[in-house]
Every structure is written in C-alpha cells, then in structure tokens.
Amino acid sequence: MKVPATAYNAPVNPPLRAITFDLDDTLWPFAPIGARIENALHAWFVAHSPRTAERFPIAEMRALRERVFAEFPEHAHDLGLLRRLTIERALRESGDDPALASAAYAIFFRERNRVEFYPDAQDGLHRIAARWPIAALTNGNADLAVIGIAGLFRFQLGAREYGAPKPDPGLFLEACRRLQCAPGEVLHVGDHPQMDVAGAARAGLRTCWIDRGDHAWPDGLPRADLRVTTLTALADWLDAGARFEDAA
C-alpha cells in the first residue's frame, strides 16, 4: 500500500498516545473567514453606526486593528479582546457610543465561527478521533462547540486561556498534562513551521507539518517528523504499516 505522506524522521518512539491539532489553516482556511468578518462588520456599522462606517471603511478598520494590536502587546494571546478593543476604539473615534461594541462583537463572533472545512478535514478528523484522543491547540478564538465538532476533541486549549500564544512551549506542555501523556507520546499537527512545528518540537512533542500549498520548508528550522498534504494522508499513515505503534 502506498502511503500518501512524507515521513521525515519516522518511525518514532515512544509509542504515540494522543494527537493535538491546530485549527486555522489546518482544518479550515482563515482568509475567507477574515473577509466575511470585515464585510459583515462594515455592513453592521452602516446600519447601526453610520459615522463609524464612514470614518472606518474596511481598509481603515483593518489599519486601526493593526494599531490596536501593536499598542497592546500584553494582550497578544487574546485576539478576541483585541478585536473588542478595536471596535470600541472605532466607535469612540467616530463619536458614537462604545456601548454598541457588544452588538458589533456578536457579529464578529458569528462570522468567526462560520468555517468552511478543507475537503479532507472532517472525514480525516473523524477517522483519527476514532482511534486516538485528540485535542485542539490554537492562538485564535474559534469556538469548536459553535462550529459543531467539539465532541471529537478531549478539549480545546487556546492562547487566551493559557496566557501565552504558540510557539510558547508551555501551551503544548499544558496540553500534554491534560492528556496525561509525556510530550514524546503526543503528535502535534499544524500548518505553521514556527508556531506549530518548532513550538511543539521545543516542548518535546512529535510534529506533523500539514502543507496544503507545496511550500518550501524555512531555512534554519529543524524539519517536522512528518509532512502531509491532507488529513486523509495523515489518517492513512496512522492506519498503515508505517504508523506509530498503537498505545498500549
């Protein structure tokens, strides 16, 4: 059987006992979500705060968001809070009522959780979750319960909850603690060479780079233990003879 995965450094010991997953750009693309958020928020401002819509059209709102993010580096782990602060700032600078921020943020949250999965993602997740405990590790603010797949995961651990974003090794180690596994018994799957692969590797986890775009691996970073292009390929690799040994 041909296994559609690239194994850089496998097989790996000790045996695999659990798998953690990044979310954005691993299970679904974020770019369409970001565009929907911008469009929906602007439409809401047009209807409920015209002065804000005029003062901050989409490009200006994006620039404001970048300024707010830079202004509050201590909140880099809490993207939801930074979004809320951006909305409040836009309302104040437009001369409107910052109390409108709650309703505007609800629009953001709704659109944030309208995801379009990669074609392979849901089936791959179901196949993998049927055999392995899985958990979600994210710097973002997607809500798996709202999205409808929380039941597949043992838990979701975000940067906001932990207090620091990936690639901080502590977030990965906290996931291992909750999974009751040693770091070397956990495989982390993600799209970002630095945030996911390097961060997980520094914490002692095994790593899988999911590369959906045939990208070159960045110079200066140790390669992931595995490289796949789809979750189908990862599920096949786990199911095939090249898989990690099943946990006892």
Side-chain angles (χ1 to χ4, degrees), residues 194-216:
Q194 180 65 39
M195 299 295 182
D196 290 304
V197 176
R202 282 198 292 271
L205 283 71
R206 302 301 178 176
T207 57
C208 175
W209 181 37
I210 183 160
D211 175 25
R212 298 180 182 277
D214 194 25
H215 298 101

PDB file of all heavy atoms in Angstrom, residues 194-216:
ATOM      1  N   GLN A 194       6.839  27.666  12.283  1.00  0.00           N
ATOM      2  CA  GLN A 194       7.365  28.231  13.528  1.00  0.00           C
ATOM      3  C   GLN A 194       6.404  28.020  14.686  1.00  0.00           C
ATOM      4  O   GLN A 194       6.767  27.473  15.729  1.00  0.00           O
ATOM      5  CB  GLN A 194       7.647  29.726  13.347  1.00  0.00           C
ATOM      6  CG  GLN A 194       8.205  30.411  14.591  1.00  0.00           C
ATOM      7  CD  GLN A 194       9.568  29.892  14.991  1.00  0.00           C
ATOM      8  OE1 GLN A 194      10.407  29.613  14.149  1.00  0.00           O
ATOM      9  NE2 GLN A 194       9.806  29.737  16.283  1.00  0.00           N
ATOM     10  N   MET A 195       5.158  28.473  14.525  1.00  0.00           N
ATOM     11  CA  MET A 195       4.190  28.422  15.620  1.00  0.00           C
ATOM     12  C   MET A 195       3.855  27.001  16.027  1.00  0.00           C
ATOM     13  O   MET A 195       3.757  26.682  17.221  1.00  0.00           O
ATOM     14  CB  MET A 195       2.905  29.156  15.222  1.00  0.00           C
ATOM     15  CG  MET A 195       3.086  30.618  14.916  1.00  0.00           C
ATOM     16  SD  MET A 195       3.595  31.543  16.376  1.00  0.00           S
ATOM     17  CE  MET A 195       3.656  33.198  15.681  1.00  0.00           C
ATOM     18  N   ASP A 196       3.651  26.134  15.047  1.00  0.00           N
ATOM     19  CA  ASP A 196       3.228  24.766  15.333  1.00  0.00           C
ATOM     20  C   ASP A 196       4.403  23.800  15.466  1.00  0.00           C
ATOM     21  O   ASP A 196       4.595  23.177  16.507  1.00  0.00           O
ATOM     22  CB  ASP A 196       2.269  24.275  14.241  1.00  0.00           C
ATOM     23  CG  ASP A 196       0.923  24.969  14.301  1.00  0.00           C
ATOM     24  OD1 ASP A 196       0.290  24.918  15.360  1.00  0.00           O
ATOM     25  OD2 ASP A 196       0.523  25.563  13.293  1.00  0.00           O
ATOM     26  N   VAL A 197       5.187  23.679  14.411  1.00  0.00           N
ATOM     27  CA  VAL A 197       6.213  22.643  14.390  1.00  0.00           C
ATOM     28  C   VAL A 197       7.348  22.971  15.346  1.00  0.00           C
ATOM     29  O   VAL A 197       7.712  22.156  16.208  1.00  0.00           O
ATOM     30  CB  VAL A 197       6.729  22.418  12.959  1.00  0.00           C
ATOM     31  CG1 VAL A 197       7.878  21.411  12.954  1.00  0.00           C
ATOM     32  CG2 VAL A 197       5.593  21.927  12.061  1.00  0.00           C
ATOM     33  N   ALA A 198       7.939  24.159  15.217  1.00  0.00           N
ATOM     34  CA  ALA A 198       9.063  24.496  16.082  1.00  0.00           C
ATOM     35  C   ALA A 198       8.635  24.594  17.541  1.00  0.00           C
ATOM     36  O   ALA A 198       9.339  24.122  18.441  1.00  0.00           O
ATOM     37  CB  ALA A 198       9.705  25.802  15.622  1.00  0.00           C
ATOM     38  N   GLY A 199       7.467  25.192  17.788  1.00  0.00           N
ATOM     39  CA  GLY A 199       6.991  25.303  19.159  1.00  0.00           C
ATOM     40  C   GLY A 199       6.767  23.958  19.803  1.00  0.00           C
ATOM     41  O   GLY A 199       7.186  23.719  20.943  1.00  0.00           O
ATOM     42  N   ALA A 200       6.100  23.062  19.074  1.00  0.00           N
ATOM     43  CA  ALA A 200       5.845  21.726  19.618  1.00  0.00           C
ATOM     44  C   ALA A 200       7.141  20.951  19.816  1.00  0.00           C
ATOM     45  O   ALA A 200       7.314  20.250  20.820  1.00  0.00           O
ATOM     46  CB  ALA A 200       4.901  20.968  18.700  1.00  0.00           C
ATOM     47  N   ALA A 201       8.050  21.065  18.867  1.00  0.00           N
ATOM     48  CA  ALA A 201       9.320  20.340  18.982  1.00  0.00           C
ATOM     49  C   ALA A 201      10.113  20.807  20.191  1.00  0.00           C
ATOM     50  O   ALA A 201      10.732  19.994  20.892  1.00  0.00           O
ATOM     51  CB  ALA A 201      10.129  20.517  17.700  1.00  0.00           C
ATOM     52  N   ARG A 202      10.113  22.121  20.454  1.00  0.00           N
ATOM     53  CA  ARG A 202      10.837  22.629  21.621  1.00  0.00           C
ATOM     54  C   ARG A 202      10.244  22.100  22.919  1.00  0.00           C
ATOM     55  O   ARG A 202      10.944  21.989  23.926  1.00  0.00           O
ATOM     56  CB  ARG A 202      10.831  24.156  21.621  1.00  0.00           C
ATOM     57  CG  ARG A 202      11.838  24.759  20.661  1.00  0.00           C
ATOM     58  CD  ARG A 202      12.118  26.224  20.994  1.00  0.00           C
ATOM     59  NE  ARG A 202      10.973  27.067  20.748  1.00  0.00           N
ATOM     60  CZ  ARG A 202      10.707  27.652  19.587  1.00  0.00           C
ATOM     61  NH1 ARG A 202      11.516  27.472  18.548  1.00  0.00           N
ATOM     62  NH2 ARG A 202       9.650  28.425  19.447  1.00  0.00           N
ATOM     63  N   ALA A 203       8.953  21.791  22.895  1.00  0.00           N
ATOM     64  CA  ALA A 203       8.314  21.222  24.083  1.00  0.00           C
ATOM     65  C   ALA A 203       8.506  19.714  24.176  1.00  0.00           C
ATOM     66  O   ALA A 203       8.085  19.098  25.162  1.00  0.00           O
ATOM     67  CB  ALA A 203       6.825  21.554  24.081  1.00  0.00           C
ATOM     68  N   GLY A 204       9.104  19.106  23.155  1.00  0.00           N
ATOM     69  CA  GLY A 204       9.358  17.674  23.181  1.00  0.00           C
ATOM     70  C   GLY A 204       8.314  16.826  22.507  1.00  0.00           C
ATOM     71  O   GLY A 204       8.393  15.590  22.560  1.00  0.00           O
ATOM     72  N   LEU A 205       7.310  17.453  21.857  1.00  0.00           N
ATOM     73  CA  LEU A 205       6.286  16.686  21.152  1.00  0.00           C
ATOM     74  C   LEU A 205       6.822  16.226  19.804  1.00  0.00           C
ATOM     75  O   LEU A 205       7.770  16.799  19.255  1.00  0.00           O
ATOM     76  CB  LEU A 205       5.025  17.518  20.913  1.00  0.00           C
ATOM     77  CG  LEU A 205       4.075  17.734  22.090  1.00  0.00           C
ATOM     78  CD1 LEU A 205       4.664  18.678  23.136  1.00  0.00           C
ATOM     79  CD2 LEU A 205       2.723  18.281  21.604  1.00  0.00           C
ATOM     80  N   ARG A 206       6.204  15.204  19.237  1.00  0.00           N
ATOM     81  CA  ARG A 206       6.426  14.838  17.848  1.00  0.00           C
ATOM     82  C   ARG A 206       5.624  15.806  16.978  1.00  0.00           C
ATOM     83  O   ARG A 206       4.629  16.380  17.440  1.00  0.00           O
ATOM     84  CB  ARG A 206       5.999  13.391  17.595  1.00  0.00           C
ATOM     85  CG  ARG A 206       6.740  12.392  18.477  1.00  0.00           C
ATOM     86  CD  ARG A 206       8.236  12.473  18.258  1.00  0.00           C
ATOM     87  NE  ARG A 206       8.956  11.560  19.130  1.00  0.00           N
ATOM     88  CZ  ARG A 206      10.264  11.368  19.091  1.00  0.00           C
ATOM     89  NH1 ARG A 206      11.007  12.049  18.241  1.00  0.00           N
ATOM     90  NH2 ARG A 206      10.843  10.530  19.919  1.00  0.00           N
ATOM     91  N   THR A 207       6.027  15.978  15.753  1.00  0.00           N
ATOM     92  CA  THR A 207       5.429  17.035  14.944  1.00  0.00           C
ATOM     93  C   THR A 207       5.045  16.548  13.560  1.00  0.00           C
ATOM     94  O   THR A 207       5.753  15.749  12.938  1.00  0.00           O
ATOM     95  CB  THR A 207       6.396  18.222  14.808  1.00  0.00           C
ATOM     96  OG1 THR A 207       7.630  17.770  14.246  1.00  0.00           O
ATOM     97  CG2 THR A 207       6.652  18.876  16.157  1.00  0.00           C
ATOM     98  N   CYS A 208       3.933  17.085  13.073  1.00  0.00           N
ATOM     99  CA  CYS A 208       3.465  16.824  11.715  1.00  0.00           C
ATOM    100  C   CYS A 208       3.124  18.155  11.067  1.00  0.00           C
ATOM    101  O   CYS A 208       2.258  18.887  11.554  1.00  0.00           O
ATOM    102  CB  CYS A 208       2.238  15.912  11.731  1.00  0.00           C
ATOM    103  SG  CYS A 208       1.505  15.658  10.085  1.00  0.00           S
ATOM    104  N   TRP A 209       3.805  18.462   9.982  1.00  0.00           N
ATOM    105  CA  TRP A 209       3.526  19.679   9.210  1.00  0.00           C
ATOM    106  C   TRP A 209       2.507  19.342   8.147  1.00  0.00           C
ATOM    107  O   TRP A 209       2.753  18.491   7.290  1.00  0.00           O
ATOM    108  CB  TRP A 209       4.810  20.183   8.576  1.00  0.00           C
ATOM    109  CG  TRP A 209       4.660  21.438   7.769  1.00  0.00           C
ATOM    110  CD1 TRP A 209       3.859  22.497   8.042  1.00  0.00           C
ATOM    111  CD2 TRP A 209       5.358  21.759   6.561  1.00  0.00           C
ATOM    112  NE1 TRP A 209       4.007  23.472   7.097  1.00  0.00           N
ATOM    113  CE2 TRP A 209       4.928  23.049   6.157  1.00  0.00           C
ATOM    114  CE3 TRP A 209       6.307  21.087   5.784  1.00  0.00           C
ATOM    115  CZ2 TRP A 209       5.413  23.670   5.011  1.00  0.00           C
ATOM    116  CZ3 TRP A 209       6.792  21.710   4.647  1.00  0.00           C
ATOM    117  CH2 TRP A 209       6.340  22.993   4.265  1.00  0.00           C
ATOM    118  N   ILE A 210       1.337  19.984   8.191  1.00  0.00           N
ATOM    119  CA  ILE A 210       0.350  19.810   7.131  1.00  0.00           C
ATOM    120  C   ILE A 210       0.530  20.974   6.156  1.00  0.00           C
ATOM    121  O   ILE A 210       0.254  22.126   6.478  1.00  0.00           O
ATOM    122  CB  ILE A 210      -1.091  19.695   7.674  1.00  0.00           C
ATOM    123  CG1 ILE A 210      -2.073  19.447   6.526  1.00  0.00           C
ATOM    124  CG2 ILE A 210      -1.500  20.868   8.534  1.00  0.00           C
ATOM    125  CD1 ILE A 210      -3.399  18.865   6.968  1.00  0.00           C
ATOM    126  N   ASP A 211       1.055  20.661   4.997  1.00  0.00           N
ATOM    127  CA  ASP A 211       1.422  21.651   3.988  1.00  0.00           C
ATOM    128  C   ASP A 211       0.486  21.511   2.802  1.00  0.00           C
ATOM    129  O   ASP A 211       0.663  20.633   1.960  1.00  0.00           O
ATOM    130  CB  ASP A 211       2.880  21.441   3.567  1.00  0.00           C
ATOM    131  CG  ASP A 211       3.287  22.363   2.437  1.00  0.00           C
ATOM    132  OD1 ASP A 211       2.663  23.435   2.304  1.00  0.00           O
ATOM    133  OD2 ASP A 211       4.215  22.010   1.690  1.00  0.00           O
ATOM    134  N   ARG A 212      -0.512  22.373   2.739  1.00  0.00           N
ATOM    135  CA  ARG A 212      -1.525  22.282   1.683  1.00  0.00           C
ATOM    136  C   ARG A 212      -1.132  23.049   0.425  1.00  0.00           C
ATOM    137  O   ARG A 212      -1.889  23.063  -0.540  1.00  0.00           O
ATOM    138  CB  ARG A 212      -2.865  22.783   2.207  1.00  0.00           C
ATOM    139  CG  ARG A 212      -3.401  21.954   3.374  1.00  0.00           C
ATOM    140  CD  ARG A 212      -4.745  22.496   3.856  1.00  0.00           C
ATOM    141  NE  ARG A 212      -5.250  21.732   5.000  1.00  0.00           N
ATOM    142  CZ  ARG A 212      -5.908  20.597   4.906  1.00  0.00           C
ATOM    143  NH1 ARG A 212      -6.153  20.079   3.713  1.00  0.00           N
ATOM    144  NH2 ARG A 212      -6.333  19.959   5.988  1.00  0.00           N
ATOM    145  N   GLY A 213       0.050  23.691   0.426  1.00  0.00           N
ATOM    146  CA  GLY A 213       0.403  24.526  -0.707  1.00  0.00           C
ATOM    147  C   GLY A 213       1.745  24.230  -1.324  1.00  0.00           C
ATOM    148  O   GLY A 213       2.268  25.037  -2.085  1.00  0.00           O
ATOM    149  N   ASP A 214       2.344  23.085  -1.019  1.00  0.00           N
ATOM    150  CA  ASP A 214       3.651  22.718  -1.573  1.00  0.00           C
ATOM    151  C   ASP A 214       4.670  23.819  -1.298  1.00  0.00           C
ATOM    152  O   ASP A 214       5.386  24.272  -2.180  1.00  0.00           O
ATOM    153  CB  ASP A 214       3.545  22.446  -3.076  1.00  0.00           C
ATOM    154  CG  ASP A 214       4.795  21.729  -3.612  1.00  0.00           C
ATOM    155  OD1 ASP A 214       5.463  21.047  -2.817  1.00  0.00           O
ATOM    156  OD2 ASP A 214       5.088  21.872  -4.812  1.00  0.00           O
ATOM    157  N   HIS A 215       4.740  24.248  -0.048  1.00  0.00           N
ATOM    158  CA  HIS A 215       5.657  25.304   0.349  1.00  0.00           C
ATOM    159  C   HIS A 215       7.048  24.735   0.645  1.00  0.00           C
ATOM    160  O   HIS A 215       7.188  23.580   1.032  1.00  0.00           O
ATOM    161  CB  HIS A 215       5.138  26.021   1.599  1.00  0.00           C
ATOM    162  CG  HIS A 215       3.829  26.704   1.406  1.00  0.00           C
ATOM    163  ND1 HIS A 215       2.629  26.166   1.833  1.00  0.00           N
ATOM    164  CD2 HIS A 215       3.520  27.886   0.814  1.00  0.00           C
ATOM    165  CE1 HIS A 215       1.639  26.992   1.529  1.00  0.00           C
ATOM    166  NE2 HIS A 215       2.149  28.041   0.908  1.00  0.00           N
ATOM    167  N   ALA A 216       8.038  25.559   0.487  1.00  0.00           N
ATOM    168  CA  ALA A 216       9.393  25.175   0.883  1.00  0.00           C
ATOM    169  C   ALA A 216       9.518  25.305   2.394  1.00  0.00           C
ATOM    170  O   ALA A 216       8.975  26.230   3.003  1.00  0.00           O
ATOM    171  CB  ALA A 216      10.413  26.072   0.190  1.00  0.00           C
TER     172      ALA A 216
END
